[in-house]
Amino acid sequence: MSDRAPGSAWSQHDPGGLEPIRVRVELGERGYEVLVGPGVRRELSSCLPPGARRATVVTQAGIGVDVDPGVPCQVVTIPDGEKAKSLATVEEICRFMARGDMHRSDVVVAVGGGVVTDVAGYAASSYHRGTAVINVPTTLLGQVDAAIGGKTGVNLPEGKNLVGSFWQPLGVLCDTETLAGLPAREWRSGHGEMAKYAFLGVEDLDSLSLAEQVARCVACKAEVVASDEREGGRRMILNYGHTLAHALEAAGFASEDASSSEAELRHGEAVGIGLVFAAELAQLMGRIGTSRVERHRGVVSGYDLPVSLPPGADPATLVQFMTRDKKSAGGLTLMLDGPGGVEPVHEVRPELVHEALDALRGDR
Ligand code: GLY
């Protein structure tokens, strides 16, 4: 094990960068490895379940990342953007698999960002009552978050991610080569999630290679998921900064959709604002001091992410959406920093939330 290992999940590390970094998600019989490094998608054939005779690759037109599962393979291309996260797409994938004579012992390979891994994972979890899926995330956000941990699902017109399952992948291949052509805003979106990890114990990434940075974040997520796979409690900390981000998305100021307008914030940019908001709120509640708030602002702006509310964002509307957030079981629940680290805090007083939002008006 490397002397820079952040925790038990980081099992092997080659400082020269020739060998993939392996991070184990310890979930007993559902446990799996996440391989991180340049070119790791070429390990795909060695990750297949024993007995798999066929593979279905699920991807999107713009992804352009080829994979070779080493068995006969068919490729289904789903539409671009968040609108592809629908039950109609799941039906399309499952019917494609049925026409290709896929069985439960075969394998789905999801190649793309969070939309692809979410929807392909859900299709795999349902097809023949559960077929293996291997994720090959091709965005930074996918590599440090969406592809790890087994949350799969689709949206309904009534809300996002309302239908889904916990279905752990058989393995995850975070090939850092696939990030080379990412647009600048996709990097920023991924950096929003990386900024979050800074407050969950993953600090000082600057001197590390990209693969090491990704692996450190993956190791953090792996440890949290292993401790609370189905989000009974602790896993909620992975949503640090997300309550305001989801409210900004619901209010139309931000979008998880890669094809969103230039004017809209990307998901990770909204998470950046959400982190600063959470810090201001934690300070108002006496949980952290000024220097920790400044640390939040420094990390977020260090990733070139915004630290202020977008013009026109109405605090009353945002509070309304935050109260409806899935993590709030009635009242207002937020993930907040404190002496013991980030944790869920229930029944947060709305007037303090308003005050914290006020601190995010315009550049300070
Ligand atoms: N993206 C948060 C989680 O996987 O729990």
Side-chain angles (χ1 to χ4, degrees):
M1 182 183 284
S2 156
D3 57 2
R4 280 189 281 177
S8 59
W10 178 311
S11 61
Q12 279 183 31
H13 174 229
D14 166 24
L18 298 176
E19 287 295 318
I21 304 171
R22 293 174 186 270
V23 180
R24 180 127 193 111
V25 184
E26 295 287 1
L27 286 170
E29 61 182 17
R30 291 182 308 289
Y32 54 97
E33 277 196 330
V34 182
L35 268 58
V36 188
V40 296
R41 69 186 184 284
R42 290 186 270 278
E43 305 282 332
L44 176 60
S45 60
S46 65
C47 303
L48 258 52
R53 302 160 309 129
R54 291 184 169 82
T56 293
V57 172
V58 181
T59 191
Q60 287 170 318
I63 304 289
V65 171
D66 289 329
V67 291
D68 177 7
V71 293
C73 168
Q74 55 175 7
V75 180
V76 56
T77 305
I78 64 171
D80 281 337
E82 186 76 10
K83 66 180 182 305
K85 269 183 70 169
S86 69
L87 285 169
T89 310
V90 173
E91 180 177 357
E92 191 189 318
I93 295 169
C94 290
R95 290 186 63 189
F96 187 83
M97 289 166 66
R99 289 195 298 274
D101 195 27
M102 290 272 295
H103 290 198
R104 186 192 293 166
S105 54
D106 295 326
V107 64
V108 175
V109 184
V111 182
V115 167
V116 173
T117 52
D118 278 10
V119 77
Y122 185 55
S125 77
S126 310
Y127 187 77
H128 282 218
R129 299 193 176 86
T131 302
V133 61
I134 297 173
N135 288 335
V136 184
T138 60
T139 61
L140 183 60
L141 194 146
Q143 296 196 356
V144 299
D145 185 40
I148 323 285
K151 276 191 185 174
T152 76
V154 297
N155 303 329
L156 294 179
E158 287 75 10
K160 292 176 70 150
N161 297 320
L162 289 184
V163 177
S165 60
F166 287 96
W167 186 247
Q168 297 298 339
L170 194 66
V172 183
L173 302 173
C174 296
D175 187 338
T176 47
E177 272 177 7
T178 68
L179 306 180
L182 274 193
R185 292 198 78 186
E186 272 299 325
W187 279 103
R188 274 155 62 112
S189 202
H191 282 149
E193 293 292 342
M194 289 177 82
K196 168 191 84 180
Y197 285 112
F199 303 101
L200 303 180
V202 183
E203 297 204 67
D204 303 324
L205 295 180
D206 289 356
S207 61
L208 303 180
S209 70
L210 176 60
E212 289 171 313
Q213 293 184 28
V214 170
R216 290 278 304 270
C217 295
V218 169
C220 176
K221 178 155 188 180
E223 188 274 316
V224 174
V225 168
S227 71
D228 178 22
E229 182 184 8
R230 296 176 69 90
E231 205 172 59
R234 183 160 180 256
R235 183 165 176 169
M236 282 192 272
I237 66 172
L238 295 172
N239 284 298
Y240 188 42
H242 284 60
T243 310
L244 178 60
H246 290 153
L248 286 165
E249 282 159 11
F253 290 96
S255 171
E256 288 195 72
D257 201 327
S259 52
S260 61
S261 77
E262 276 300 302
E264 282 173 310
L265 296 164
R266 295 302 316 280
H267 175 73
E269 293 172 323
V271 169
I273 299 172
L275 292 170
V276 176
F277 158 74
E280 293 284 355
L281 182 57
Q283 185 183 27
L284 288 170
M285 294 176 74
R287 297 175 56 85
I288 59 173
T290 316
S291 63
R292 187 71 174 159
V293 179
E294 286 315 314
R295 175 81 187 133
H296 279 72
R297 288 182 174 273
V299 168
V300 171
S301 51
Y303 278 121
D304 202 20
L305 297 163
V307 293
S308 308
L309 288 177
D314 169 38
T317 310
L318 295 175
V319 173
Q320 229 173 32
F321 280 120
M322 281 194 263
T323 312
R324 283 190 221 154
D325 192 88
K326 278 208 296 290
K327 306 292 176 284
S328 287
L332 202 48
T333 296
L334 287 125
M335 305 308 126
L336 295 179
D337 201 3
V342 174
E343 60 186 358
V345 178
H346 304 285
E347 305 293 343
V348 178
R349 284 168 36 214
E351 60 272 25
L352 292 181
V353 175
H354 276 278
E355 211 178 314
L357 287 171
D358 269 347
L360 267 70
R361 283 178 178 282
D363 283 313
R364 285 161 25 119

